[in-house]
Amino acid sequence: MSSENYSTAGFGSLFLPTSLMRVDDTVGDVDSIYDEDRKYGDEGLLRSSAVESWAYEEKKIREGSDGAKKIIPAKIDGLQRRYSLDSDRGGAMLDVERDEDSWMNAVIVTGLSEEEKEELDSSEENYSTEELDMENVTPYLDEQSEELYDAFEEGEVQIYIGDRKVSNRSRNQTYHDRIHTVMDFIGEMYGEELAEEIWQEFRETTYETPIAGVPREKPRALGQIDAPDIVKKAWKNQSDRWLNTVEENDRAKEAFGKLMEHNLLEE
């Protein structure tokens, strides 16, 4: 592998280009953003220093400069993304598990130097690195197929995977809202239509604890349960509990909010 061309997959915080810029020593820590509980659309949800650092990096990408990082939106087969990693900041962060029946989207970041890759590794201490198989990765854009092929040909493309965990916590909303801003950057780079597609598929393929916050235990003896095969398969695949997708939880929250508003108006 070239010492100046390491590659990694970003599926959670590294989905966000400004979070990738933690490799820049001038970018400070992110703790204050979580302390102030900022949400999507709020000013200051992203560090201004990280935004400036990414703007400089994006300029290098547009100009085709040597050493510029490339961001390749892609689909990865055989992995399921979940809000299952307990966070010291409250709630849960994203992790992935191997699951041959699942897929998720991510970005493949290429052009990392050895020093930058080591910096990322040290900042992702809750995860270990595993190698991706090129056959399981498909770019959203056909014109990036060659770039993706080159990344795998030049060396390993790695992904961070944590120890298998089951969390009863719901997502850390600030963390989730920061990831949501990924779509603003994808929209600027590749168009709003692709950005909307990626965000919708993120919500459809990312799982978390139901909004009530209480896991639903699956039956221990599936063969003794009178349920459709598709339901039994879902129980089997959900790591000893039932999980909702992010989209399902979002719809449930929206419906509950409308119900409460309706009840208050009636009173």
Side-chain angles (χ1 to χ4, degrees), residues 122-133:
S122 66
S123 68
E124 299 288 345
E125 58 184 13
N126 291 322
Y127 303 84
S128 59
T129 57
E130 295 189 18
E131 183 180 358
L132 287 176
D133 188 330

Side-chain angles (χ1 to χ4, degrees), residues 202-247:
F202 176 96
R203 295 172 65 237
E204 292 172 350
T205 61
T206 302
Y207 292 81
E208 63 178 339
T209 298
I211 57 173
V214 180
R216 308 175 193 172
E217 296 294 334
K218 76 174 183 182
R220 294 184 180 277
L222 295 179
Q224 301 174 9
I225 302 298
D226 183 17
D229 288 343
I230 190 172
V231 174
K232 293 181 181 180
K233 182 178 180 181
W235 279 326
K236 180 180 180 182
N237 289 341
Q238 294 304 327
S239 294
D240 300 325
R241 65 187 188 128
W242 187 272
L243 296 174
N244 286 347
T245 65
V246 165
E247 182 188 34

Side-chain angles (χ1 to χ4, degrees), residues 125-180:
E125 58 184 13
N126 291 322
Y127 303 84
S128 59
T129 57
E130 295 189 18
E131 183 180 358
L132 287 176
D133 188 330
M134 184 171 63
E135 293 182 356
N136 293 333
V137 185
T138 305
Y140 273 92
L141 300 172
D142 290 340
E143 57 264 33
Q144 290 189 311
S145 295
E146 185 174 347
E147 292 178 2
L148 188 63
Y149 176 82
D150 289 343
F152 279 94
E153 281 294 293
E154 292 173 5
E156 293 182 358
V157 177
Q158 295 183 337
I159 188 169
Y160 295 102
I161 297 182
D163 294 333
R164 185 175 180 181
K165 297 179 178 69
V166 175
S167 173
N168 292 343
R169 296 183 181 183
S170 59
R171 72 185 89 149
N172 181 300
Q173 191 60 43
T174 298
Y175 173 88
H176 183 75
D177 287 346
R178 281 171 54 79
I179 294 173
H180 191 174

Side-chain angles (χ1 to χ4, degrees), residues 175-193:
Y175 173 88
H176 183 75
D177 287 346
R178 281 171 54 79
I179 294 173
H180 191 174
T181 64
V182 168
M183 304 315 131
D184 299 334
F185 292 95
I186 295 293
E188 291 176 1
M189 288 187 285
Y190 302 117
E192 292 184 4
E193 184 175 346

